[in-house]
């Protein structure tokens, strides 16, 4: 039996995306980096991104092709069952995140740019849905060069209760205020370089938010000013050895001590390691290492280990992280699982 601290939920792409997953699976990660499958937790259609309730045994999953979001309740060591019916989302809903206070979840939609807030009850079930699509015209360009579709890609919960989201199509980071019963209201936005494609975010303990870019394969740093607005302060390459043809940025994660950032790059199939200054203002690429498989869509940094979900090679691999250099060593462990797309600790 797996200890809860080593249990990892794995989302996947399934047959509706011509992929090899079956739903949400459960993995056990040992202290030695070895990985073992605990089997299918629940059958689901392309649960490509997951979030865990902060205090309850509830998992939230997007169904990217079905355009829905659904809650699942943990029923055993590594089993899940539906908690309520699926709720409608938007086109190609690709990310979900949970409020640290358990009041709501936020889903972002790559296909139509929607940012959707779902309020939760005391059991973690979804009770309402409010779309912020009205604030995001899917066909508004940020420059006069022509129309570019809005592509919501991820959300990040900020300590002050606000919510930050990326718009990969419009090269924007938006900050929203949560209004109970009304959903999200736009506070302000941060413009990133055109064509960069902001994708995922990680917040440093200094308060800096690092944003990795899918198209330009860079990392942008944004920091909050005294008036509460965020401003772009730096953009650096994600890779130490340069971008290759066909590369696309994937996930970004920070080491627990904040000294290192890790960016996945699909195409050349690398994990790029960047050194972060103590105050979060400096960021420098130091090394690129093979991801141990193909098409590293997502990765997780936890307790001295790096776990990589290689969608293209149908496996999850583990690397030991050197505490001094931050560099991954391995793979130390590997487990087969169909088209993995996200890794989320169960507790």
């Amino acid at each position: 039996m797996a200890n809860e601290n080593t249990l990892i939920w794995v989302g996947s792409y399934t047959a509706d995306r011509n992929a090899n997953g079956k739903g949400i699976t459960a993995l056990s990660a040992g202290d030695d980096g070895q990985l073992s499958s605990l089997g299918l937790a629940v059958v689901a259609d392309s649960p490509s991104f997951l979030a865990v309730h902060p205090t309850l045994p509830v998992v939230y999953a997007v169904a990217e092709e079905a355009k829905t979001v659904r809650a699942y309740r943990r029923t055993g060591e590594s089993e899940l069952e539906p908690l309520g019916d699926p709720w409608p989302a938007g086109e190609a809903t690709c990310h979900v995140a949970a409020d640290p206070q358990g009041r709501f979840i936020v889903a972002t939609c790559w296909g139509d740019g929607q940012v959707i807030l779902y309020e939760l009850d005391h059991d973690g079930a979804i009770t309402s849905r409010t779309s912020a699509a009205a604030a995001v015209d899917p066909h508004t360009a940020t420059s006069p060069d022509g129309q570019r579709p809005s592509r919501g890609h991820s959300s990040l919960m900020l300590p002050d209760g606000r919510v930050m989201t990326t718009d990969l199509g419009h090269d924007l980071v938006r900050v929203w205020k949560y209004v109970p019963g009304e959903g999200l209201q736009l506070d302000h936005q941060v413009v990133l370089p055109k064509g960069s494609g902001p994708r995922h975010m990680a917040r440093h303990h200094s308060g800096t938010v690092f944003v990795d870019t899918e198209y330009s394969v860079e990392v942008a740093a944004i920091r909050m000013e005294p008036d509460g607005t965020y401003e772009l302060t730096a953009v650096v390459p994600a890779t130490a050895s340069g971008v290759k043809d066909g590369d696309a940025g994937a996930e970004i994660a920070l080491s627990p001590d904040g000294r290192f950032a890790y960016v996945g790059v699909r195409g050349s199939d690398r994990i790029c390691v960047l050194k972060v200054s103590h105050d979060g203002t400096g960021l420098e690429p130091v090394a690129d290492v093979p991801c141990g498989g193909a098409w590293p869509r997502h990765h997780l940094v936890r307790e001295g280990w790096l776990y990589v979900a290689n969608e293209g090679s149908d496996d999850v691999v583990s690397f030991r992280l050197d505490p001094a250099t931050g560099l991954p060593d391995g793979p130390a462990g590997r487990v087969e699982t169909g088209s993995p797309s996200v890794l989320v600790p169960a507790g």
Side-chain angles (χ1 to χ4, degrees), residues 83-265:
L83 175 61
D85 295 326
W87 282 70
E91 294 285 339
T93 307
C94 61
H95 190 279
V96 62
D99 165 50
Q101 299 181 46
R103 298 168 298 174
F104 58 82
I105 58 173
V106 173
T108 43
C109 308
W110 184 90
D112 55 19
Q114 287 191 75
V115 176
I116 307 173
L117 184 138
Y118 302 84
E119 293 190 316
L120 308 174
D121 65 17
H122 293 300
D123 296 321
I126 299 171
T127 60
S128 68
R129 173 191 187 278
T130 308
S131 174
V136 185
D137 181 345
H139 301 292
T140 298
T142 55
S143 76
D145 298 339
Q147 294 183 343
R148 296 186 292 156
S150 173
R151 301 211 180 280
H153 210 291
S154 67
S155 62
L156 176 71
M157 305 298 163
L158 299 174
D160 60 12
R162 293 182 295 177
V163 179
M164 183 176 282
T165 63
T166 56
D167 189 325
L168 188 146
H170 285 179
D171 298 317
L172 293 173
V173 170
R174 294 185 175 91
V175 179
W176 310 81
K177 291 179 179 178
Y178 167 58
V179 180
E182 299 180 23
L184 297 175
Q185 295 181 356
L186 187 62
D187 187 274
H188 67 281
Q189 59 191 28
V190 183
V191 179
L192 270 65
K194 185 180 179 184
S196 58
R199 180 179 170 90
H200 284 185
M201 298 172 283
R203 186 181 181 276
H204 191 262
H205 57 68
S206 66
T208 301
V209 175
F210 294 116
V211 187
D212 80 304
T213 61
E214 179 169 329
Y215 299 148
S216 63
V217 194
E218 295 172 312
V219 179
I222 58 177
R223 291 177 65 89
M224 190 173 69
E225 297 298 311
D227 65 357
T229 61
Y230 281 82
E231 290 192 2
L232 179 66
T233 58
V235 179
V236 304
T239 74
S241 56
V243 179
K244 314 289 196 273
D245 288 344
D247 275 354
E251 172 69 345
I252 182 169
L254 297 172
S255 60
D257 61 10
R259 295 170 55 220
F260 300 101
Y262 300 88
V263 176
V265 179

